Amino acid sequence: MEKSLDPALIEQLKKLQQKYAVMGQDLSSYLDGLLHADYLTYWDYIHLDTLLSLQNPKTQFADEKVFIIYHQITELYFNLILWEIEQISAKEPADEKFFTIRMDRIIRYFQLLENSFAVMVDGMEKEQFLKFRMSLLPSSGFQSAQYRLIEICSTDIINLVHVDFRESMQEYSDIEQQIEHLYWRSGATELASGKKTLTLQQFEKKYLTLFTETGMKYRTCNLRKIYQQNFPSSKAVLDRLREFDQLANVLWPLAHMRSAGRYLHRDPEDIKATGGTNWQKYLPPRFQLIMFFPELWSEQEKQEWGKAAVIKALHT
Ligand code: HEM
């Protein structure tokens, strides 16, 4: 004798019927579809074949694959960081627990990025790097738009203005004017002439409009605005923001800079691998003095921005 249907299952079917009826749909057609549908596989779900088809070295050097994949991994983490920032910004009303849990995630992602930079620093043969890097000019990680978006969504644009103009521009609230003087717009310039490299020109052409629009959108809901307006004296929040500021603006930049030091430092010829840019003056955090939350640091901490981390790195 055929087994009768479990009452709980009938209940589920009724709920499904209601759900589809609301949209004017016939449940039975959808059940037919279910009958013929394949089971979901892991490889389809995460699009593994597509993912593994996105590494296309430009040269024959084996280590170029390490270089490509590590950049892709970094961009995926940047994407997760932006995803958390977006959720914090959209949360109405702002909620301290929600904020700190998401900040912990962002901190975790940045720690992973900082701690894994050895994949670049120690994970490629210098001889191979210096050769394949020449085939990739004028592209550069400098052109990472997600890195810039993380900055723009984390703080007010004034804190991303070049240090030489930051003080004098405090009074201007015009974002477009501040964007003119973003600190990175004087990076990736030619060491010899001070002119913008093609790397910088192409980056600005493609993304400047997006950066301006994002700056406008986030002027009222970037991380700094949200904590200042909602939990300006919560220790749990401030601790996390300080940690994030250190990771994003000192520790990751220093980990990254170690790779530039390892591959580009010694021989003046090596510098060609960036297209002869001003990177030695540009990359150190102590020159740029970028802080998303400057009010959370003492005058001394600001003056010594990046110094403690450099000393620690020298002794480990
Ligand atoms: C061997 C590995 C690497 C070397 C030698 C290197 C070198 C450089 C140099 C010299 C610059 C300064 C701009 C320029 O002069 O072109 C730069 C900027 C940058 N690179 Fe890398 N890079 C490496 C890996 C990476 C990776 C894995 C990422 C991840 C996306 C990355 C992201 C960036 C970003 C975001 C900037 C701009 C930093 C800022 O504006 O403060 N780089 N890189």
Side-chain angles (χ1 to χ4, degrees):
M1 205 177 112
E2 213 164 293
K3 221 177 134 200
S4 60
L5 281 180
D6 180 343
L9 192 60
I10 293 175
E11 207 38 51
Q12 277 179 312
L13 279 171
K14 276 188 192 156
K15 281 190 190 151
L16 272 176
Q17 197 167 34
Q18 278 163 13
K19 171 184 163 172
Y20 283 92
V22 169
M23 304 304 285
Q25 301 290 295
D26 173 24
L27 172 63
S28 126
S29 309
Y30 282 86
L31 288 177
D32 266 348
L34 205 54
L35 207 57
H36 303 301
D38 271 343
Y39 292 103
L40 184 64
T41 59
Y42 166 78
W43 53 89
D44 279 339
Y45 179 59
I46 64 155
H47 294 279
L48 189 62
D49 287 345
T50 309
L51 185 64
L52 299 181
S53 72
L54 300 175
Q55 295 74 36
N56 301 299
K58 298 271 178 242
T59 70
Q60 300 299 314
F61 296 101
D63 286 356
E64 194 191 336
K65 185 160 172 169
V66 181
F67 191 69
I68 294 176
I69 292 190
Y70 189 71
H71 278 81
Q72 292 178 334
I73 290 170
T74 305
E75 289 293 342
L76 288 173
Y77 275 116
F78 284 169
N79 196 259
L80 283 172
I81 291 165
L82 278 168
W83 182 232
E84 298 302 335
I85 299 179
E86 274 171 35
Q87 290 178 65
I88 292 176
S89 301
K91 180 79 177 156
E92 281 286 352
D95 173 308
E96 186 176 331
K97 186 135 189 264
F98 187 91
F99 188 96
T100 53
I101 287 175
R102 265 119 207 115
M103 284 311 302
D104 281 341
R105 294 184 190 176
I106 292 172
I107 288 167
R108 194 173 302 122
Y109 297 141
F110 251 119
Q111 283 170 339
L112 282 163
L113 287 175
E114 187 213 349
N115 294 333
S116 62
F117 228 101
V119 174
M120 290 285 90
V121 182
D122 303 318
M124 298 180 293
E125 284 181 10
K126 186 175 172 185
E127 293 66 32
Q128 288 195 38
F129 174 84
L130 289 174
K131 287 183 187 133
F132 73 69
R133 186 69 187 85
M134 302 306 279
S135 305
L136 315 180
L137 294 174
S139 77
S140 164
F142 179 89
Q143 295 173 318
S144 167
Q146 293 201 103
Y147 186 77
R148 304 297 167 208
L149 290 173
I150 291 173
E151 296 180 326
I152 294 171
C153 298
S154 295
T155 190
D156 297 297
I157 301 284
I158 186 69
N159 294 323
L160 305 173
V161 164
H162 192 282
V163 67
D164 290 349
F165 299 94
R166 212 174 295 159
E167 189 80 12
S168 61
M169 290 203 81
Q170 289 285 352
E171 58 196 277
Y172 296 102
S173 56
D174 181 351
I175 283 199
E176 281 178 12
Q177 223 164 351
Q178 294 176 352
I179 282 186
E180 276 300 304
H181 294 285
L182 284 173
Y183 80 97
W184 54 262
R185 298 186 75 179
S186 44
T189 49
E190 285 170 16
L191 196 58
S193 62
K195 280 194 193 146
K196 288 185 182 194
T197 54
L198 186 55
T199 310
L200 178 55
Q201 289 175 38
Q202 289 186 322
F203 185 53
E204 289 183 344
K205 189 164 171 229
K206 174 142 174 79
Y207 287 115
L208 215 50
T209 308
L210 172 69
F211 295 153
T212 309
E213 284 167 4
T214 309
M216 298 286 189
K217 181 171 165 206
Y218 276 80
R219 74 192 307 173
T220 52
C221 60
N222 62 63
L223 292 181
R224 182 169 182 242
K225 275 277 163 15
I226 289 183
Y227 101 79
Q228 285 182 331
Q229 282 166 8
N230 299 285
F231 354 89
S233 48
S234 153
K235 186 173 176 332
V237 167
L238 303 192
D239 284 350
R240 282 164 176 90
L241 291 175
R242 278 171 59 99
E243 198 170 351
F244 171 47
D245 218 356
Q246 271 284 306
L247 276 161
N249 294 314
V250 177
L251 300 175
W252 186 87
L254 285 178
H256 168 262
M257 216 175 83
R258 272 195 287 282
S259 60
R262 153 121 156 86
Y263 295 101
L264 311 173
H265 188 55
R266 281 163 222 153
D267 184 345
E269 273 297 293
D270 295 351
I271 289 175
K272 280 191 186 159
T274 69
T277 63
N278 62 340
W279 68 270
Q280 278 151 315
K281 281 267 165 243
Y282 172 70
L283 287 180
R286 69 180 192 285
F287 294 146
Q288 298 302 338
L289 294 174
I290 297 297
M291 294 159 218
F292 294 156
F293 317 107
E295 62 283 357
L296 300 186
W297 303 99
S298 68
E299 274 317 306
Q300 192 181 348
E301 285 170 321
K302 285 187 207 171
Q303 272 168 22
E304 297 181 353
W305 193 239
K307 194 171 155 191
V310 173
I311 292 170
K312 192 172 157 226
L314 289 175
H315 293 285
T316 48

